[in-house]
Each structure stands twice: as structure tokens, then as C-alpha cells.
Amino acid sequence: MEEPKRLFDFPYYQLANYPREDALVTKYNGKWEKTSTQSFIDQGYALSKGLLKLGVKPGDKIAIISANNRTEWNICDLGILQIGAIDVPVYPTISEADYKFIFNDAEVTFCFVSNEELFTKVNHIIDEVPTLKKIYSFDQVDGCDHWSEVLKLGQDGDNSEVEKIKGTIMEDDLATLIYTSGTTGTPKGVMLSHKNIASNAKASRPRLPVNQDARGLSFLPLCHIYERMLIYLYNYTGVALYYAESLETIGDNMREVKPHVFTAVPRLLEKVFDKIMAKGADLSGIKKALFFWAVNLGYEYDIHGKSGWYKFQLNIARKLIFSKWMEALGGEVKAVASGSAALNPRLARVFLAAGINIQEGYGLTETSPVVAVNCPMDDGTRIGTVGRPLKDVEVKIAADGEILVKGPNVMMGYYKRPDLTAQVIDEDGWFHTGDIGEMVEGEYLKITDRKKEIFKTSGGKYVAPQIMENAFKESHFIENIMVIGEGEKHPAAFIQPDFTFLKSWCKRKNIPFNSEKEIIKDQRVIDRIQKEVDIHNKDFGHWEQVKRFALTPDVWSIDGGQLTPTLKLKRRNILSAYPDLYKDIYGHTPDER
């Protein structure tokens, strides 16, 4: 079979080259259930024919919303795309108001949801979405048709009508509308063609150090282009795809599946590392000394190697300490693709030292998504960078430091918003990312900050908060931090402590507490976190340093509205949530500036 050009070509490519019995694997009621490549395609055909019987036409928009990654998502994706319809994957965690906006903006005709909670959410707005005809659910839900009804509709007859439509679909046609959750503002529908995503999957293949013998574990949301593109890449390379049950069960699922590859966001890797460090802190005697000796050795890791003595020590550390880290990830991991936000270089260093191949990359929904990514082959890794740009993806640094991108992966534009499209894609076809960066050694891209997040103090000094936040999160006491101070005399910060670590520290220090609200008011806790702030402040210029901070009693989360689904800070939400803390720092609320 020739190279896949349209997204629905990928499963067929796998069938022709790497047919698998475990192409897609999902856990239902405690048991892993495998779907073969052939069955995946057969069910895709059935769904396509069922949708045609329901009156779906090329260009119709169909929403998919799932609380967890599962095989049904892929079958819907295949069945929708190969009849020329456009799928609209939506985050399960957004509000009903956002659902209403997206469904009306996209003019969604049918919707597939995973469970009762999501059915209830969408059903609440069905009367306010004139185009929405019906909702189907993957789970059995009272009052909602099961998705298998669509499959049954399409069980009979041949595939000739589907094949006829497939033949009319071009690689430059619109495939999907992905509404960016963003950190602020109304969602924007990013129009991605088959070529946008397919070219990205194919160009990413040389960076993936596994083949058709591998197992992949997926847990980042499939509605996010990062995870979704990798699904097509796994089809393309013949990698078996296992879906984790949830974010809470990742550890157990890793031990069960023993994946060779998985994707992660930096916040997740930070949490993994924090748990490892907490276990190390609980050790005693020689075991504890060995643990921290290995970690400190890891912090000194250099990709180009060090002296023979360092290598000798590292081999010992890997056998005695780091091998247990590998076991916690299933024992067979060859690649962890990290994206969506900047990865702390210190964290990358220690994981690489441990023999865990972290491949940091960079991209946006608008670039389908990968622009650049590190890889272990061909001297392809530089710690602190996001690696070399992919083949056929051009990167240019503008005069003000902004990263500009051009290539087959750059979106068609924002749906119904030519005005917004013109703001980000210039006359020469360069997409303006809004990120600031530089090229290292002439070929490795380094991200330094978000252009929109850089702010000025009242003294006219620029502050790049993301770099500072990454540094401060190295502290075991700090789970999340947001640097503030736009237009103010000096920077400050809202700090969300790592309450698990903080509570264990309080117990060791005999500091009593009954709640998070109580613990953050204890002067001994405040003084201890001040020490952490002082340590990390030393890495920054005097004008950048955090002069004051306030501890928040809440654990920032997606559901709480402080984090996006990919765990980035929703700065506007966090700022508006703590006007009193802001006033304690600056003497006025943000609105009174």
C-alpha cells in the first residue's frame, strides 16, 4: 500500500504492513479487551454506513466527547472521516456554556459521548443547538441510544458507497475542527486538514525509537492534537495501542502493560519525580545515602558523556537505584515523549541519567502539533531544547524573538474567523506561534517563554514568568506557582504548596495541622517556603526576583478551573480567584490597578 495521505488511510496502512491482534486495547470491567486491525476497520465501515443511513453528508460536523481514552473513539474517528464528515473532538472537562458555543459554532449534527455525566451535560443544551439531532453513548446510559445502534444500522450491505466517497476525499480537505481550550477567551476552532496531521505523523516517525514490536500506553486526552497525532503515528509504525483507564491508574496500568512508549506532560513527570523523591526521603541509613547520591549524580548528567569515572558511577547508580525507577514505569520504556509545556532541564537530566529516554518536543494545535522534538538517534538530543525541527517544517526566529513556523503541518486557519487567522499567519505563510525562542548550535530549538505571558513591571523591566515558575517548581515544597506583577513595582507569586510533601514535613517537625487552610498560615511553614524562594531567586536578576508570595489553600486542578486540560496555568482564572491575596501583596486588587 502507498504511503497514507488521509487520516483514515493509517489503519489500512497498518493492516497492509503490520496487522495486529492488539491494534487497540481498552480495559472494560477489569479486563483488557483487544481489537485487531481488521476488526477496527470492519467496525469503521459499519459506523460509516450507519452514519450515511442517518443522513450524514460530507462536510457535516460530528462531536466526540470522552472522559477517558478508549477504542470506541478511534472507530468513530475512522467512521466519520472516511465519509467526508468532519469530527469535532471536545474536552470532557469544559463547561456547558463552552459546549453550547462549540456546538453552535461548528453546527454539530450528531454527538458521541462516553458516559452518563457527559450525556447529561450535552442533553442540557440540546434544545439550544438547532443542528444537533441525536446523542449516542459508549456506555449504557438510560435515556440515551447506545453507539452500537449506529453500528447495527451499517452492518448489512457492501462498502461500495463508502469507497465511492473515500475516493473523492483529498488530503487538503478539512478533517477536523479542534477548539483550543486556551488559557483565556472564547474557544477558537482550529481547522486541520488530512495533510496537516498526516504529514506530521509521517515526519515524526524517524524520531520514534520503537517499531512494530512495541506497545504504547495512552492517557493524555485524545481530543488534544498531541495525543491524537501520535495515534496515527502508532498505526503507521505498527505499535500496539493500550489505553490507560484514567490518570489515577497510570502506575498500575504501566506495570500491567509494560509499555515501550508513552506520552506525558511535564506536570505529570514532575509528579512522578516528586513521588520518587518522597520515597527516597523516607529511607534511612545507607539506603537513603545511596538514593540521594544517585539523584545528585543524575543532576550532573551530560548528553555527550563525562569522564570514565562518572560513567562507572552512573552504571552503579543505574543498577542499584535507577533500575527501580524503570520498574515503576513497567521496566521496558524506550521513549517518553514530553510536550505541551516546558520541561525543567534538571528533570530531563536526571531521567536521562536513569536510562529513561525523555524526548521533549514542542508544538501547538495550529501546527498539528509537532514543530520539533528531541530523539536519541543521530545526536538528536540537547537538554534544555526541544530538539531539531521535523523534516519539511521550517522555523525562523523573528526580530523580537518570536518563533515562526512554516510547513505542511500549519493549520488551514481558524473556523469562521479569517480576522484571527490573518493575525497569526502572515502573507508569506509563516505562522506566528506567540512563543519566544532561539536556535542553539544553529539547529536545536530552545523555547524561552510565551510572548503573551511576558510582562513589564512599573519600572519598565521585562519578566518572563514561565522560566521562573519552572525553576521554583524544582522545590519539593512547591507543586505549582504563578509569578505575578504586571505593572507593579516588583514581581510576586501565588504558590500552591505540594501538600503531600508539606504534611509529611510538618509531621517530621511536630507541627500540628487539621487542614490545608490551617497549614499555610503557620509561620514555620511560611518561613520554610521563604527559604525555597530565596534559593531560587538567586538564579534571576534583581528586577525579576519574587519579592513576596502568598500561599493558596486550594490544589489547582482542571475541574477547579485553574489549569487547562494539558495542565497549563489559566492565569486569568488564578488571578481573579485570589483578589484578597493580591491585595495583601500589593495593597490593592488586580481590578484596582
Side-chain angles (χ1 to χ4, degrees), residues 400-441:
D400 65 354
E402 185 174 11
I403 300 162
L404 311 184
V405 178
K406 187 193 278 190
N409 58 323
V410 172
M411 68 169 178
M412 300 168 73
Y414 294 119
Y415 188 58
K416 296 179 181 176
R417 296 303 303 267
D419 55 329
L420 295 179
T421 304
Q423 288 176 22
V424 296
I425 300 179
D426 64 27
E427 294 172 354
D428 297 320
W430 289 99
F431 172 69
H432 293 239
T433 64
D435 291 315
I436 303 293
E438 60 188 16
M439 299 305 292
V440 175
E441 298 177 39

Side-chain angles (χ1 to χ4, degrees), residues 179-405:
Y179 282 80
T180 57
S181 59
T183 52
T184 59
T186 306
K188 298 189 293 281
V190 177
M191 296 190 291
L192 297 179
S193 67
H194 289 273
K195 185 177 185 178
N196 287 155
I197 306 172
S199 69
N200 207 245
K202 289 185 286 186
S204 295
R205 183 173 188 170
R207 309 292 171 94
L208 187 72
V210 297
N211 54 29
Q212 67 266 27
D213 299 322
R215 292 178 299 278
L217 183 68
S218 167
F219 46 83
L220 297 181
L222 278 174
C223 51
H224 190 272
I225 186 58
Y226 176 39
E227 193 73 5
R228 182 174 174 188
M229 183 280 289
L230 283 157
I231 299 310
Y232 303 121
L233 175 59
Y234 294 155
N235 288 165
Y236 185 52
T237 49
V239 171
L241 181 58
Y242 285 71
Y243 284 133
E245 296 163 85
S246 69
L247 281 170
E248 287 71 42
T249 62
I250 291 169
D252 292 337
N253 294 157
M254 279 184 179
R255 285 183 285 276
E256 291 170 311
V257 173
K258 301 186 187 308
H260 300 98
V261 59
F262 65 89
T263 51
V265 293
R267 190 72 207 106
L268 195 71
L269 295 173
E270 287 164 8
K271 282 179 174 287
V272 168
F273 184 64
D274 289 345
K275 279 186 180 177
I276 290 169
M277 292 301 284
K279 284 186 177 179
D282 288 339
L283 297 172
S284 58
I286 188 70
K287 286 184 178 179
K288 186 171 186 175
L290 274 172
F291 176 89
F292 283 100
W293 165 77
V295 170
N296 288 326
L297 200 67
Y299 289 150
E300 297 171 27
Y301 182 79
D302 180 3
I303 204 72
H304 285 124
K306 302 187 83 165
S307 67
W309 173 238
Y310 179 87
K311 288 177 183 175
F312 174 73
Q313 291 182 91
L314 187 60
N315 284 334
I316 294 171
R318 283 180 173 175
K319 284 176 184 171
L320 296 180
I321 306 297
F322 293 143
S323 58
K324 295 180 177 65
W325 296 22
M326 283 289 285
E327 285 168 20
L329 300 177
E332 298 184 31
V333 172
K334 293 181 180 176
V336 181
S338 175
S340 181
L343 178 67
N344 190 307
R346 194 176 182 217
L347 201 61
R349 214 175 283 281
V350 75
F351 274 123
L352 287 166
I356 298 164
N357 172 35
I358 301 282
Q359 294 183 216
E360 184 177 9
Y362 164 72
L364 305 92
T365 304
E366 290 88 342
T367 56
S368 307
V370 181
V371 171
V373 64
N374 281 285
C375 78
M377 297 83 78
D378 304 319
D379 193 28
T381 298
R382 288 293 182 277
I383 296 167
T385 80
V386 291
R388 297 179 177 122
L390 295 185
K391 184 185 176 187
D392 297 330
V393 176
E394 295 179 71
V395 171
K396 180 169 77 172
I397 307 298
D400 65 354
E402 185 174 11
I403 300 162
L404 311 184
V405 178

Side-chain angles (χ1 to χ4, degrees), residues 91-143:
Y91 283 107
T93 50
I94 61 174
S95 66
E96 281 183 18
D98 278 340
Y99 281 139
K100 182 181 168 183
F101 173 83
I102 291 169
F103 277 48
N104 280 309
D105 191 60
E107 298 173 273
V108 166
T109 56
F110 290 94
C111 177
F112 291 90
V113 298
S114 62
N115 60 23
E116 184 175 9
E117 182 186 350
L118 290 171
F119 167 66
T120 302
K121 253 183 170 180
V122 178
N123 202 39
H124 275 168
I125 61 157
I126 195 166
D127 293 335
E128 299 174 80
V129 184
T131 55
L132 184 56
K133 297 172 184 175
K134 201 159 194 178
I135 307 165
Y136 293 92
S137 175
F138 300 149
D139 288 351
Q140 295 288 351
V141 174
D142 288 342

Side-chain angles (χ1 to χ4, degrees), residues 1-5 9 13 17:
M1 180 184 172
E2 65 178 25
E3 289 284 291
K5 291 184 176 180
D9 291 334
Y13 183 87
N17 295 281

